[in-house]
Amino acid sequence: QVQLVESGGGSVRAGGSLRLSCSISGASDNTAYCMAWFRQAPGKEREQVSTIYTRANITHYVDSVKGRFTVSHDKAKNTLYLQMDSLTPEDTAMYYCAAGPRWIMCHPALEYDSWGQGTQVTVSS
């Protein structure tokens, strides 16, 4: 398992931008992971927002964020990012990063075994 620490959340007006970061430690060198961003709003189920397989930078987005959010992984900095543009109040949630087992590509049934503590994103209208 790796250790994950998110940062970069905050409060913005609708139409604004934020960049979330997820610092990764304990990852083996030259090892690939499926990394994901999830979010959970009060009273709602946790939703997978985006995934990236770090070996080949294969990305996936939920339909509601396509064209607005961009996931990336900086191997040199051991950091996962989520650039969020054109934010709407519906994006308000606690955002979590997660990592799957080593060398397992992203897929819908993947069980993530490392989670960060979350960072709050609040978008006002």
Side-chain angles (χ1 to χ4, degrees), residues 16-78:
S17 298
L18 284 173
R19 187 176 78 158
L20 305 184
S21 299
C22 175
S23 177
I24 306 163
S25 60
S28 301
D29 290 341
N30 298 315
T31 301
Y33 298 85
C34 174
M35 303 291 300
W37 286 99
F38 289 82
R39 66 186 179 185
Q40 188 165 21
K44 294 187 177 180
E45 293 187 355
R46 186 175 64 196
E47 175 185 42
Q48 187 182 80
V49 174
S50 180
T51 62
I52 183 168
Y53 184 62
T54 61
R55 183 71 169 184
N57 285 331
I58 300 171
T59 60
H60 174 79
Y61 300 92
V62 68
D63 285 346
S64 60
V65 307
K66 284 181 180 177
R68 301 188 299 120
F69 290 12
T70 304
V71 63
S72 61
H73 173 252
D74 188 326
K75 182 179 179 180
K77 295 184 178 180
N78 285 326

Side-chain angles (χ1 to χ4, degrees), residues 2-6 22-25 35-36 97-99 114-118:
V2 298
Q3 293 74 50
L4 307 173
V5 179
E6 302 96 335
C22 175
S23 177
I24 306 163
S25 60
M35 303 291 300
C97 65
S114 298
W115 292 83
Q117 83 290 349

Side-chain angles (χ1 to χ4, degrees), residues 64-117:
S64 60
V65 307
K66 284 181 180 177
R68 301 188 299 120
F69 290 12
T70 304
V71 63
S72 61
H73 173 252
D74 188 326
K75 182 179 179 180
K77 295 184 178 180
N78 285 326
T79 302
L80 178 73
Y81 298 101
L82 185 67
Q83 177 67 41
M84 306 186 295
D85 299 319
S86 301
L87 286 162
T88 74
E90 289 68 38
D91 296 315
T92 295
M94 184 71 80
Y95 284 71
Y96 301 88
C97 65
R102 292 182 298 171
W103 297 113
I104 305 299
M105 294 185 68
C106 302
H107 61 85
L110 180 65
E111 293 189 5
Y112 295 86
D113 54 12
S114 298
W115 292 83
Q117 83 290 349

